[in-house]
Amino acid sequence: GGPALAARGHRLEHVESLTVAQAEVLARYGVIASMQPSFDALWGGPDGMYAQRLGADRAAALNAFAPLAATGLALAFGSDAPVTAPRPWPMLRAAVHHRTEGSGISPRAAFAAATRGAWRAGGVRDGMAGTLDPGAPASYAIWEVGELVVSAPKDSVQRWSTDPRSRVAPLPDLTPGTADPVLVRSVHRGRVVYAR
């Protein structure tokens, strides 16, 4: 049955051409969609490789993050290295500024898919991994960043306040053309794995 299947935490890799109806079924069964936002940045859009090889209509429906997430389907983002560079900020920027109108998701949703979503897709479902909370595994990265902002994609409904008093956590500015944050240190389960 559905609950037993959902408890298994299945995931599908390289989810690119999924319809909303298919996403609704997968969401009911707790399937996680592992996706690569950089694919849209590299090959999406009306003149990209997807449109050239699949046609503009099919290409426009690929990697539709917002419509899929709206069904309740859990998203997990990754790079598929070495196909695309394992650089998180351009990946998040690609998810937010999708080349098809209406398919981009908020920076917060993209960040969650790349952190908590990735942990869940990897089989860690303790409710804490991918967060910075007391008692959570000490796995994190420290970034040198310019301005922090609270924003939403231009083509979506904003579901939270951007007023600083609302205490919504800001993220680096993901506007196209902005500089990527620079990694200073990364720690996995309490052990430093990189230090600049």
Side-chain angles (χ1 to χ4, degrees):
L5 182 59
R8 301 302 301 159
H10 293 287
R11 74 173 185 262
L12 288 178
E13 292 294 335
H14 291 283
V15 172
E16 288 194 76
S17 60
L18 199 62
T19 67
V20 168
Q22 292 166 333
E24 289 170 344
V25 172
L26 294 175
R28 275 199 311 272
Y29 293 124
V31 175
I32 299 166
S34 176
M35 305 181 79
Q36 296 74 30
S38 295
F39 287 6
D40 179 70
L42 291 173
W43 305 311
D47 301 320
M49 180 190 71
Y50 289 147
Q52 292 169 13
R53 296 190 181 170
L54 302 173
D57 289 342
R58 284 181 66 196
L62 295 179
N63 300 300
F65 308 123
L68 298 181
T71 70
L73 182 63
L75 306 182
F77 289 162
S79 68
D80 194 34
V83 175
T84 65
R87 296 181 57 219
W89 300 106
M91 176 187 70
L92 295 177
R93 189 175 290 112
V96 173
H97 300 284
H98 198 285
R99 296 181 63 174
T100 300
E101 182 129 353
S103 289
I105 59 175
S106 72
R108 288 178 61 201
F111 191 78
T115 54
R116 295 185 77 178
W119 278 100
R120 282 193 309 267
V124 181
R125 293 174 190 87
D126 61 9
M128 295 174 64
T131 67
L132 291 176
D133 291 317
S139 297
Y140 58 90
I142 300 172
W143 299 89
E144 185 178 290
V145 62
E147 183 181 4
L148 295 173
V149 297
V150 176
S151 63
K154 63 178 175 50
D155 57 359
S156 76
V157 175
Q158 191 167 295
R159 301 183 194 282
W160 58 85
S161 173
T162 57
D163 186 316
R165 295 171 294 180
S166 68
R167 304 196 67 187
V168 172
L171 290 168
D173 187 355
L174 296 175
T175 303
T178 56
D180 291 340
V182 175
L183 183 61
V184 175
R185 176 181 300 244
S186 60
V187 175
H188 181 65
R189 298 193 184 278
R191 187 175 64 84
V192 175
V193 293
Y194 172 81
R196 184 173 65 170

